[in-house]
Amino acid sequence: MNTQMQLYSLVKKLYQANLWEDYWDNDIIGIQLPDRKEPVFISILGKAEQNFGILIYRNLEELSYFFETSKRAEDREFSSVMELLQTRKCISLDFEDRQEIPKEEYEKIKASGITFRGKKAWPVFTDYKPGYYPYMIDENDVPFLIAIFEKLVETANDFRNSLQLYEKEQSTYKMLMRTYKKDGLYENSFYTVPEVVLEGLLDNEIDHAPIKLTEFEMR
């Protein structure tokens, strides 16, 4: 199985799992892979609205952008969607209608041999970095996404049974975490988010840049 087939096969499993039926976007899941220094953090979108997807924060620095975006959204500081996206730093997997996905994405899906059908069922990957246009993921990110999605499929399903515990016992600085070892075994725990990450970012840490109307924004 080639990497694109692996990737889209896992994406289809995640879509079929309907994780947004149980998870809110602030029910963040942490996954620590044995070959990475920091955990990866996943937010699942769709329960509060009909925009289904997954946000992948590759480290704690990127996670701080999640809390910054949440803080500014709560304070109603954003005047447009594009302004909100300028505080996003992560890889997103969004599920869109067939006619809304870029030609390049469609060609990748078709070449993988994995089929997608229906409304809000076609995957689109986007890499976000403040101060830059949202852009397609690099091919070098594919092995990382495969490794994460392989673990996320089982981890998110297993944690579904713990969401009630999660809601009762976690505070705003704790999240469900699964730590994988090199032998394939894992441990579940609550992960305490460092206070400096919870505080988000200082204004001067975000690269402000004028953003003109793009094909992405038009979509």
Side-chain angles (χ1 to χ4, degrees):
M1 186 181 294
N2 62 43
T3 55
Q4 291 295 335
M5 185 182 293
Q6 279 183 284
L7 178 64
Y8 287 108
S9 177
L10 290 165
V11 166
K12 189 168 185 176
K13 287 182 180 179
L14 286 168
Y15 178 78
Q16 292 172 338
N18 292 319
L19 298 173
W20 36 80
E21 290 183 355
D22 298 307
Y23 288 89
W24 295 94
D25 59 356
N26 58 349
D27 292 335
I28 302 174
I29 300 171
I31 295 178
Q32 176 67 66
L33 297 177
D35 59 344
R36 291 183 69 86
K37 182 179 179 181
E38 294 185 20
V40 177
F41 305 95
I42 296 101
S43 172
I44 297 165
L45 310 178
K47 189 168 185 177
E49 52 189 67
Q50 295 301 306
N51 295 318
F52 305 117
I54 296 170
L55 302 181
I56 303 103
Y57 298 89
R58 289 161 281 201
N59 49 46
L60 284 166
E61 188 249 346
E62 290 195 356
L63 183 64
S64 65
Y65 282 82
F66 168 84
F67 289 106
E68 180 68 21
T69 302
S70 299
K71 181 173 63 177
R72 293 191 181 197
E74 187 174 335
D75 294 339
R76 301 181 183 275
E77 293 185 18
F78 298 117
S79 59
S80 68
V81 173
M82 281 303 292
E83 189 174 318
L84 181 149
L85 294 180
Q86 279 297 293
T87 60
R88 180 179 281 185
K89 189 173 186 180
C90 61
I91 291 177
S92 77
L93 164 61
D94 298 295
F95 293 99
E96 304 285 0
D97 293 336
R98 163 65 185 89
Q99 65 271 20
E100 293 179 354
I101 66 173
K103 180 181 178 181
E104 295 88 344
E105 290 283 353
Y106 176 73
E107 290 176 350
K108 286 184 178 182
I109 296 168
K110 188 175 180 181
S112 74
I114 306 299
T115 58
F116 295 87
R117 292 186 177 88
K119 294 187 66 176
K120 297 291 183 180
W122 293 76
V124 178
F125 285 99
T126 309
D127 203 336
Y128 292 92
K129 183 179 179 181
Y132 293 84
Y133 294 116
Y135 50 93
M136 295 176 62
I137 60 170
D138 192 282
E139 289 300 315
N140 293 329
D141 290 317
V142 172
F144 160 72
L145 290 170
I146 289 172
I148 283 297
F149 288 165
E150 283 177 340
K151 304 305 183 188
L152 181 59
V153 169
E154 61 180 9
T155 298
N157 273 319
D158 289 350
F159 281 173
R160 271 176 153 157
N161 298 323
S162 303
L163 282 176
Q164 187 175 6
L165 177 69
Y166 181 89
E167 292 168 357
K168 286 182 179 179
E169 295 193 3
Q170 86 145 10
S171 61
T172 57
Y173 54 87
K174 289 187 179 180
M175 65 180 66
L176 289 164
M177 166 76 75
R178 177 166 288 182
T179 300
Y180 284 90
K181 302 177 181 179
K182 290 186 177 181
D183 59 7
L185 299 177
Y186 59 79
E187 294 180 352
N188 294 333
S189 62
F190 280 114
Y191 176 78
T192 301
V193 180
E195 188 173 343
V196 66
V197 174
L198 285 172
E199 291 174 353
L201 306 165
L202 297 174
D203 287 341
N204 59 8
E205 290 181 290
I206 298 179
D207 296 324
H208 295 281
I211 301 296
K212 297 181 180 179
L213 191 67
T214 66
E215 182 181 349
F216 177 88
E217 184 174 4
M218 292 171 67
R219 286 197 293 112

